[in-house]
Amino acid sequence: MSRVEFPKAGTIEVNPSILSADFACLADEIAVIERAGVKMVHLDVMDGHFVPNITIGPPVVAKLRGHSKLFFDAHLMITEPRKYAKAFVEAGTNHITFHIEVEDRPEELIDVLHDMGVTAGICLNPETPVERVEKVAPLCDMVLVMTVHPGFGGQEFMAEAAEKIRRIREIVGPEIRVEVDGGIDAEIAPIVVGYGADTLVAGHAIFSKSDRIAAIEAIREACR
Ligand code: DX5
Ligand code: ZN
């Protein structure tokens, strides 16, 4: 299994979501973003239950692991994260984010993930209030704020949901990453960075462009 270090807080990182990439050649797509100098890649895992879509599972992650040294950030949009976490860790995932909406004992699951040697994150849907994660957020390595309803790439950014980033940043302080996911492009990125986000997931804004590297650079440039 790879030993990729978690990118410590304190930098703005563009985190490409492969959901909008060409699934027929994922290894090549990841090689391109690696050339752009990104540190992490966002893997959207969907089970057709928690969200109305199905994407990738551990066998795909395991194959990709053989092609990339990037930090694998798995976003589990599944109803039973506890049941499948180990399989994702064994496949070579470096970080696992699960949703607060499906977990009654989030603090315990964070411990389980840490004990398995990966970093851990909690995610909240647009309609979920910050209070739901207040206790668990400081135990995480990264907190993920959804700015679209999870399930599909290329949706429109929900400005109201993004405002929760401010409160999350207050709760976790500067040492924990705050990730934002959904509808992020070069125009929106500086707004969410202004709220306190430092990890910018972007799918459509990168993989809908023929020049993925220029698209990543445009998001970075907009935040400088
Ligand atoms: C949505 C996923 C996101 C999505 C982001 O369910 O969690 O990671 O792929 O894609 P864009 O940037 O296209 O909104
Ligand atoms: Zn995601």
Side-chain angles (χ1 to χ4, degrees):
M1 205 186 96
S2 90
R3 287 269 151 233
V4 188
E5 287 295 309
F6 181 69
K8 255 183 59 192
T11 57
I12 304 291
E13 300 298 337
V14 176
N15 188 3
S17 156
I18 57 163
L19 189 57
S20 294
D22 182 348
F23 270 44
C25 48
L26 276 183
D28 296 341
E29 292 277 44
I30 291 178
V32 170
I33 60 165
E34 207 157 346
R35 284 209 297 283
V38 301
K39 298 194 179 112
M40 34 172 45
V41 59
H42 185 83
L43 307 175
D44 284 307
V45 176
M46 304 184 187
D47 66 351
H49 290 278
F50 182 65
V51 290
N53 197 2
I54 300 176
T55 54
I56 60 169
V60 176
V61 176
K63 286 292 179 192
L64 291 176
R65 186 73 284 171
H67 291 270
S68 174
K69 297 219 157 33
L70 289 180
F71 184 85
F72 280 5
D73 163 31
H75 175 193
L76 302 190
M77 286 163 274
I78 66 178
T79 49
E80 295 185 274
R82 197 179 281 261
K83 181 171 169 187
Y84 293 99
K86 188 162 179 265
F88 280 98
V89 172
E90 285 174 354
T93 298
N94 304 107
H95 176 93
I96 292 188
T97 288
F98 62 93
H99 272 257
I100 189 69
E101 296 86 5
V102 292
E103 182 50 62
D104 294 336
R105 303 189 309 279
E107 292 86 358
E108 195 187 283
L109 184 49
I110 296 284
D111 281 345
V112 168
L113 294 172
H114 284 156
D115 288 346
M116 286 194 286
V118 294
T119 51
I122 193 78
C123 181
L124 62 167
N125 276 339
E127 63 280 4
T128 302
V130 172
E131 293 68 51
R132 285 284 299 277
V133 299
E134 215 160 1
K135 248 176 72 200
V136 69
L139 309 174
C140 296
D141 303 276
M142 185 151 78
V143 178
L144 175 53
V145 177
M146 288 309 297
T147 46
V148 295
H149 293 296
F152 301 92
Q155 301 182 78
E156 199 179 328
F157 171 76
M158 297 168 72
E160 236 171 78
E163 287 175 24
K164 287 188 285 185
I165 295 168
R166 286 200 177 107
R167 180 73 192 117
I168 299 274
R169 178 54 79 196
E170 272 172 25
I171 293 168
V172 301
E175 301 295 331
I176 292 173
R177 282 196 173 272
V178 179
E179 183 177 29
V180 58
D181 185 4
I184 304 299
D185 58 17
E187 206 177 307
I188 302 289
I191 299 171
V192 294
V193 167
Y195 291 164
D198 56 11
T199 310
L200 311 172
V201 175
H204 185 76
I206 294 170
F207 291 102
S208 69
K209 304 281 172 16
S210 55
D211 188 343
R212 277 92 159 119
I213 296 178
I216 290 168
E217 194 44 46
I219 298 172
R220 285 190 186 122
E221 189 55 39
C223 299
R224 280 189 190 116

